[in-house]
Amino acid sequence: MARFLIVEARFYDHLNDMLVDGARTALEAAGHEVEVLTVPGALEIPGAIALATESERYDGYVAVGVVIRGETYHFEIVAGESARGIMALTMDGVAIGNGILTVENEEQAIVRADRHQKDKGGEAAKAALALFALQQRFAA
């Protein structure tokens, strides 16, 4: 059994509840322990994961959050920089599934977040599990 940390950007509560539910369900179904850490926004997710890796308490991570396009350029910055930060950690060998939704509106987010529809939280958890399995394979 491994330990996974779900790091959620708690900005849209109802959407995050769905993403966390999907991620938790997938990880627990695979027989792993799960903890959840909440950060203010998507930009804080990579930093929180980087800090958590220093503790060596977790075997993998799932990043979840929702970024909805607004009227300003901020959407592009948040979407791009959070993805870049997660990718940098992944390239350093950290097993992370990226479930940060970048959508045009709330309706798109609901479809993607709902565990009974597109289940992007569950998909991100499965990606983290796949990377964790690769770590185990290459460590041997």
Side-chain angles (χ1 to χ4, degrees):
M1 173 172 33
R3 293 182 71 189
F4 283 81
L5 181 65
I6 299 170
V7 181
E8 65 158 338
R10 194 77 181 169
F11 197 79
Y12 299 101
D13 290 342
H14 64 297
L15 299 171
N16 273 51
D17 288 343
M18 289 189 276
L19 288 167
V20 169
D21 178 48
R24 181 186 296 278
T25 298
L27 293 168
E28 288 177 351
H32 300 294
E33 282 185 39
V34 178
E35 289 183 42
V36 178
L37 175 68
T38 301
V39 298
L43 288 174
E44 288 77 37
I45 290 175
I49 292 173
L51 291 170
T53 62
E54 294 176 13
S55 74
E56 298 183 5
R57 284 190 277 183
Y58 305 101
D59 300 295
Y61 304 86
V62 181
V64 297
V66 179
V67 183
I68 299 176
R69 184 181 303 276
E71 297 177 3
T72 68
Y73 185 70
H74 187 66
F75 170 87
E76 283 82 5
I77 293 169
V78 174
E81 291 302 311
S82 62
R84 185 192 60 75
I86 290 168
M87 184 55 69
L89 290 165
T90 302
M91 296 301 292
D92 285 340
V94 180
I96 306 172
N98 186 351
I100 299 174
L101 304 181
T102 53
V103 296
E104 296 293 326
N105 54 53
E106 184 176 354
E107 293 77 25
Q108 288 179 353
I110 290 169
V111 169
R112 286 159 179 76
D114 186 350
R115 187 166 58 90
H116 304 289
Q117 294 185 58
K118 293 202 178 218
D119 192 22
K120 294 301 182 178
E123 285 185 15
K126 290 173 185 172
L129 288 166
L131 288 172
F132 173 67
L134 284 174
Q135 282 180 332
Q136 301 305 299
R137 177 180 172 185
F138 293 127

